[in-house]
Amino acid sequence: MDHLEPVPDGSPAGDPSGAARPEQPELADLLRRSARGDEEAFAAVYDAVASRAYGLALSVVRDPAQAEEVVQEALFEVWRTASRFDARRGTPLGWILTILHRRAVDRVRASEAATRRDRTYHERNQTVSHDATAEAAHASMEAHRVRRALDTLTPVQRQAVELAYLRGYTHTEVAQLLELPVGTAKTRIRDGMIRLRDTLGVGGGR
């Protein structure tokens, strides 16, 4: 997919018969006329290659809506740059489909980059806010020691602490789950973490 060599002129699967399609010399002439601003000539170019261009775009981006957008973008580029076509370097159809292929690959790369950015943003912003005590407890102590320390908490403290630091709920979500005011939930979590710190012998900071 990442190779940008000129695309072959062969019809992709599903492409209609080429019987009604202009021959290469005629297509080259249509491009030359398009370069001079002949809109009717470009309309003929569009009609001649749109189906094949869509098939190629779809094979790369794998999404019908995006494939349509790629075809529109690529053929608009053909209209703007028709004067750059050089028959000595290849066929007109090959030149057009190479532009199309490059556009499709760019679309895939942009989509993949956006997905990576979204994933990174999500991962960075999903971290539950921990105070120093929680970080020390989870980073420095083995799980079984923490579990034993949890047994020293009152039932309401343990419930709040487990929801906040073992299950990842925010203070607001803990309050909603326990049907408590947010301030009360925060107090239970704070008192429970202070008791955990004392039981585990963890300092108040690093």
Side-chain angles (χ1 to χ4, degrees):
M1 179 175 63
D2 291 342
H3 297 295
L4 297 181
E5 293 86 356
V7 178
D9 292 352
S11 298
D15 191 43
S17 170
R21 199 179 298 125
E23 297 295 332
Q24 295 292 342
E26 181 182 351
L27 190 56
D29 180 62
L30 289 172
L31 280 175
R32 284 190 290 270
R33 289 164 53 193
S34 297
R36 295 193 295 268
D38 188 329
E39 295 183 4
E40 290 186 2
F42 180 71
V45 171
Y46 190 102
D47 291 342
V49 304
S51 177
R52 184 174 295 187
Y54 175 78
L56 176 59
L58 185 61
S59 72
V60 176
V61 302
R62 305 293 184 181
D63 178 83
Q66 289 201 51
E68 291 178 0
E69 292 177 3
V70 167
V71 170
Q72 295 296 324
E73 293 171 1
L75 292 182
F76 179 69
E77 182 177 346
V78 169
W79 166 251
R80 290 189 302 104
T81 64
S83 61
R84 298 180 188 174
F85 169 66
D86 185 350
R88 295 169 299 180
R89 301 180 62 182
T91 66
L93 182 59
W95 180 72
I96 292 171
L97 293 185
T98 296
I99 292 174
L100 184 285
H101 187 253
R102 184 180 295 110
R103 283 277 182 173
V105 170
D106 287 346
R107 176 63 66 97
V108 171
R109 287 173 175 166
S111 178
E112 290 174 347
T115 299
R116 286 194 297 271
R117 287 195 299 270
D118 290 345
R119 185 183 303 117
T120 299
Y121 177 85
H122 179 75
E123 291 172 351
R124 288 177 177 172
N125 290 275
Q126 280 297 105
T127 304
V128 179
S129 178
H130 286 202
D131 60 20
T133 300
E135 290 179 358
H138 285 281
S140 304
M141 299 299 167
E142 297 177 356
H144 71 278
R145 290 190 63 203
V146 176
R147 289 292 183 184
R148 283 206 303 267
L150 285 170
D151 291 336
T152 68
L153 305 182
T154 66
V156 292
Q157 288 174 345
R158 175 170 180 161
Q159 188 177 37
V161 169
E162 286 185 338
L163 287 172
Y165 293 106
L166 300 184
R167 299 188 184 180
Y169 290 105
T170 65
H171 291 178
T172 300
E173 290 169 337
V174 171
Q176 293 172 345
L177 289 168
L178 298 181
E179 299 182 347
L180 297 171
V182 174
T184 302
K186 288 182 177 180
T187 297
R188 291 185 182 181
I189 293 168
R190 184 191 66 239
D191 291 346
M193 295 307 297
I194 290 172
R195 190 163 184 174
L196 272 181
R197 180 195 64 195
D198 294 339
T199 301
L200 293 168
V202 180
R206 293 186 181 181

